[in-house]
């Protein structure tokens, strides 16, 4: 049995639900939050099962809390900054409004959500770079199955939002993880187009999670990961 065939059965139930969420626009915010919660739990579990105390992310920490998961930025002064890996509808208005072009929402909440998604992808990128160079990753050609990630060189809240390096530059399979909304798209046609792009970025995240799971399971089976 190959890792590819195993992944079809291993991930069928979890990825099917999330794929449905990401491919129906505009999605319900509860479904988006739940999908991100499942993704956070899976990435965290894969990292923890890498052996030798688990894989440690260098700049961020993924905190799985169901539909209210977060990502924490690890600051140099031993403090942390929390970004919400969920859309807070109570504070920012309906998610469908942001995607369909209806005004009345506030940008600071979607800013936190965008930063959290970008930070999540940065964590995934670190784990992927470790995984593809591992004996299991090399043996089973893990890199060939992954969607490419592009990460800005210097990551901080200031550079993301004030110095020209924003979430748009954090991409999965060349599609930005930035949530399309009335704040970054000038008209409804652009909103619709970017909603499709965002969906493809989310699909790329699911694809990479699936193959990272296959990698860690196969590594444990082969004894390459303790």
């Amino acid at each position: 049995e190959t890792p590819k065939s195993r992944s079809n059965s291993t991930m069928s139930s979890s990825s099917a639900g999330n794929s449905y969420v990401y491919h129906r626009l505009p999605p319900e915010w509860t479904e988006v939050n739940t999908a991100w919660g499942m993704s956070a739990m899976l990435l965290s579990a894969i990292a923890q099962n890498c052996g030798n105390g688990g894989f440690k992310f260098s700049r961020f920490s993924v905190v799985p809390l169901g539909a209210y998961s977060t990502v924490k930025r690890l600051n140099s002064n031993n403090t942390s900054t929390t970004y919400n890996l969920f859309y807070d509808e109570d504070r920012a208005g309906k998610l469908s409004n942001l995607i369909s072009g209806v005004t009345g929402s506030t940008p600071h909440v979607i800013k936190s959500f965008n930063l959290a998604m970008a930070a999540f992808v940065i964590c995934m990128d670190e784990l992927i770079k470790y995984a593809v160079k591992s004996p299991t990753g090399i043996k089973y050609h893990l890199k060939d199955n992954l969607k490419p990630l592009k990460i800005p060189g210097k990551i901080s809240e200031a550079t993301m939002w004030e110095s020209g390096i924003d979430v748009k530059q954090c991409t999965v399979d060349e599609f930005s993880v930035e949530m399309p909304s009335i704040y970054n798209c000038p008209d409804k046609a652009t909103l619709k187009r970017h909603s499709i792009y965002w969906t493809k970025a989310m699909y790329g995240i699911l694809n990479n999670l699936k193959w990272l799971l296959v990698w860690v399971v196969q590594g444990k089976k082969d004894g390459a990961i303790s």
Side-chain angles (χ1 to χ4, degrees), residues 62-204:
V62 178
V63 184
L65 295 170
Y68 298 95
S69 298
T70 62
V71 181
K72 291 185 177 181
R73 188 182 71 191
L74 308 176
N75 301 321
S76 57
N77 57 356
N78 294 323
T79 63
S80 62
T81 304
T82 299
Y83 304 126
N84 293 334
L85 195 60
F86 61 90
Y87 184 81
D88 190 343
E89 187 178 45
D90 293 334
R91 294 178 59 197
K94 290 186 177 296
L95 181 57
S96 58
N97 290 350
L98 283 170
I99 295 178
S100 61
V102 178
T103 58
S105 302
T106 53
H108 65 281
V109 174
I110 199 114
K111 172 182 175 180
S112 179
F113 187 29
N114 278 329
L115 284 168
M117 289 189 288
F120 182 94
V121 172
I122 291 165
C123 290
M124 174 181 283
D125 183 61
E126 289 184 0
L127 182 54
I128 284 175
K129 287 178 178 177
Y130 170 80
V132 296
K133 294 179 181 179
S134 69
T136 303
I138 295 171
K139 180 179 178 180
Y140 294 103
H141 307 284
L142 174 64
K143 188 176 181 179
D144 295 341
N145 295 298
L146 298 171
K147 300 296 183 182
L149 307 181
K150 180 181 178 183
I151 308 298
K154 184 178 181 181
I155 305 298
S156 72
E157 185 172 1
T159 56
M160 277 184 172
W161 292 93
E162 298 172 6
S163 303
I165 305 177
D166 60 17
V167 179
K168 291 179 182 178
Q169 295 189 30
C170 191
T171 64
V172 181
D173 202 19
E174 300 185 1
F175 298 106
S176 174
V177 299
E178 182 183 35
M179 168 68 80
S181 72
I182 56 176
Y183 302 108
N184 56 26
C185 298
D187 52 59
K188 289 187 177 181
T190 305
L191 271 167
K192 183 177 181 179
R193 184 171 65 253
H194 281 266
S195 295
I196 295 172
Y197 295 162
W198 183 74
T199 299
K200 291 181 177 181
M202 299 301 102
Y203 179 79

